[in-house]
Amino acid sequence: MRKKRVLLLSEGFGSGHTQAAYALAVGIRQLNPDIRTRVIELGKFLNPVLGPWIVSAYRKTVSKQPKLVGMMYRTNYKRSLNRFTQLALHRIFYTQTSQVITQLKPDLIICTHPVPNAVVARLKRLGLNVPLYTLITDYDAHGTWTNAEVNKYLVSTPVVKRKLIEHGIPEAKIEVTGIPVHPNFWMTYDKKDMQKQFGLKPMPTVLVMGGGWGLLNDDNDLFEYMAKTYREQVQMIFCVGSNEKAKESLESNPSFRHPNIRILGFTREVSKLMDASDLLITKPGGMTCTEGLSKGMPMLFYEPIPGQEEENCEYFVRNGFGEMLADESSIDKWFTLIQQPYTTVQYRRTLMTKRNQQYNPEQCSRAVLQMMQ
């Protein structure tokens, strides 16, 4: 019997969309090894030269002009990609999408980014007969995610479901599944074991994530403050992602040169680093926040990009999973708290209880399998 196939389409505008696609793919296979999955960043796959150039331009815009990104997000909040835009995208960038789908013969297509979602929706209007699921990878529902041809929306929370209904999506088409995380985040390992594995000291530890594009740098006064003030009492791990320039900048700054400060580039060990840590400081991207949620970690959020990151931040703060890193007093509060072992353990237990009430890391993968039966 032919194995069922799931094609997951994403784009590289921020790492979260593709991370969610891979997380869901691995989760599906772990629960049912008989299903074959394939993840493709469609623009890069079809246009290996132009695609990365566009992503790079977007990345520069996000880092240099975040207010412009926020303005564009809000201006088009209730608008889906109209048919002219879908046609233009297809003609300019995605002309071979139909051939890719024909060749791979998927039984189900899941899109984790609005652009491939719109392209596949257009193909369905033209006769493509493959179910299309849309996995929204943030804690908000921008209009660009919506298309009449989508068979099912997989969303993070009941709030996002309500927002989709306000966009005119029938309730029957929406399922609250949570954002999927890699199975590495489905379980929690012993903190002391993980600290020993990474050569860390058995002391209070803070993990600072620089965003999917490594947007962390040393010109943030709050990071300099935490390094200078607490490096004797608190161990700090700075993950800057793929930004080598930021890594070099931190390493050359005397404030960050200390035995209790570790500076890392890209790593696939985030799950274990979270288990080794007591506090997560991060930009509020949908994926990183969900990974922190899955581990029951207290979180501090810094510099949300206007738009979806602001919405993500609002959700996690409102539900008690984190706070804004507003000033030095936020650092003082949390860096003092994690030096109290009993308080730290009790707080993590409270967060895990709350997580279990609102989020199951396996739920999205299980929901897809159930819908495929």
Side-chain angles (χ1 to χ4, degrees):
M1 181 180 293
R2 173 183 175 274
K3 291 185 177 181
K4 289 188 176 182
R5 302 175 182 180
V6 177
L7 174 61
L8 300 102
L9 300 178
S10 181
E11 285 297 356
F13 296 93
S15 63
H17 301 287
T18 302
Q19 284 182 15
Y22 277 113
L24 182 54
V26 175
I28 289 171
R29 293 199 308 270
Q30 184 153 319
L31 294 174
N32 188 341
D34 290 330
I35 292 182
R36 297 175 62 183
T37 63
R38 175 79 180 270
V39 176
I40 296 177
E41 286 188 345
L42 194 57
K44 180 180 179 180
F45 182 78
L46 297 176
N47 298 278
V49 176
L50 185 59
W53 181 86
I54 294 173
V55 170
S56 177
Y58 176 76
R59 174 179 177 172
K60 290 178 181 177
T61 303
V62 169
S63 60
K64 302 295 184 182
Q65 298 180 305
K67 290 184 179 179
L68 175 62
V69 174
M71 183 186 70
M72 294 174 62
Y73 185 89
R74 295 187 185 93
T75 300
N76 298 287
Y77 186 77
K78 294 185 178 181
R79 302 177 187 173
S80 61
L81 294 176
N82 60 48
R83 294 197 176 191
F84 176 79
T85 303
Q86 292 183 23
L87 176 62
L89 285 169
H90 188 268
R91 290 282 176 85
I92 298 172
F93 301 111
Y94 298 96
T95 54
Q96 296 176 300
T97 303
S98 181
Q99 292 101 305
V100 170
I101 294 172
T102 299
Q103 182 177 359
L104 295 178
K105 297 181 175 61
D107 298 283
L108 172 67
I109 298 173
I110 302 175
C111 290
T112 63
H113 188 277
V115 171
N117 187 63
V119 171
V120 176
R122 180 178 180 274
L123 292 177
K124 283 177 67 68
R125 282 201 306 275
L126 298 176
L128 176 66
N129 187 25
V130 180
L132 171 60
Y133 290 2
T134 297
L135 170 61
I136 298 181
T137 54
D138 283 299
Y139 291 79
D140 193 23
H142 196 277
T144 52
W145 286 100
T146 61
N147 290 283
E149 294 75 21
V150 174
N151 298 91
K152 182 71 72 171
Y153 291 87
L154 312 176
V155 303
S156 53
T157 68
V159 173
V160 177
K161 178 178 180 178
R162 175 178 55 77
K163 290 183 177 183
L164 280 179
I165 292 173
E166 291 173 357
H167 284 312
I169 304 300
E171 183 176 1
K173 281 190 172 186
I174 311 167
E175 181 160 348
V176 179
T177 62
I179 297 173
V181 295
H182 193 282
N184 291 344
F185 293 87
W186 292 4
M187 59 188 69
T188 301
Y189 295 97
D190 182 75
K191 174 187 172 184
K192 292 182 180 179
D193 290 344
M194 292 300 100
Q195 288 182 333
K196 185 176 180 180
Q197 179 174 326
F198 287 102
L200 299 169
K201 297 178 182 178
M203 61 188 296
T205 303
V206 174
L207 176 62
V208 184
M209 299 290 294
W213 279 334
L215 298 177
L216 177 64
N217 53 61
D218 68 343
D219 62 5
N220 188 310
D221 292 340
L222 293 179
F223 294 140
E224 184 120 6
Y225 173 78
M226 70 175 68
K228 285 183 176 179
T229 308
Y230 289 99
R231 59 190 181 185
E232 297 295 338
Q233 302 97 347
V234 175
Q235 189 167 232
M236 292 167 244
I237 307 168
F238 290 86
C239 289
V240 300
S242 58
N243 194 332
E244 288 298 320
K245 183 178 179 181
K247 187 171 185 289
E248 292 173 4
S249 178
L250 287 169
E251 289 173 339
S252 64
N253 188 325
S255 299
F256 296 88
R257 290 203 297 266
H258 191 275
N260 292 340
I261 294 179
R262 184 83 62 88
I263 300 169
L264 302 177
F266 176 79
T267 176
R268 298 186 185 279
E269 304 286 358
V270 173
S271 170
K272 293 180 179 179
L273 289 171
M274 285 186 177
D275 287 328
S277 304
D278 302 289
L279 174 68
L280 173 64
I281 300 178
T282 181
K283 291 183 67 62
M287 277 303 300
T288 302
C289 289
T290 307
E291 289 167 352
L293 168 67
S294 72
K295 294 288 188 179
M297 291 194 74
M299 293 180 274
L300 288 179
F301 307 117
Y302 69 92
E303 297 180 355
I305 297 171
Q308 64 265 43
E309 284 197 355
E310 288 180 331
E311 297 296 327
N312 295 341
C313 186
E314 180 182 342
Y315 170 80
F316 281 95
V317 170
R318 185 175 65 247
N319 285 275
F321 292 106
E323 295 181 8
M324 276 295 298
L325 177 56
D327 49 36
E328 293 177 0
S329 65
S330 302
I331 296 172
D332 294 336
K333 171 187 172 180
W334 283 96
F335 278 54
T336 300
L337 185 148
I338 64 173
Q339 294 181 63
Q340 303 168 17
Y342 178 78
T343 303
T344 302
V345 170
Q346 291 301 112
Y347 193 84
R348 289 291 289 268
R349 286 177 179 172
T350 299
L351 287 181
M352 285 300 289
T353 299
K354 188 180 294 187
R355 184 213 77 171
N356 292 339
Q357 293 170 349
Q358 300 186 29
Y359 179 73
N360 178 352
E362 299 181 30
Q363 186 174 351
C364 192
S365 301
R366 292 191 180 281
V368 171
L369 291 174
Q370 186 173 2
M371 287 183 280
M372 289 183 69
Q373 291 177 355

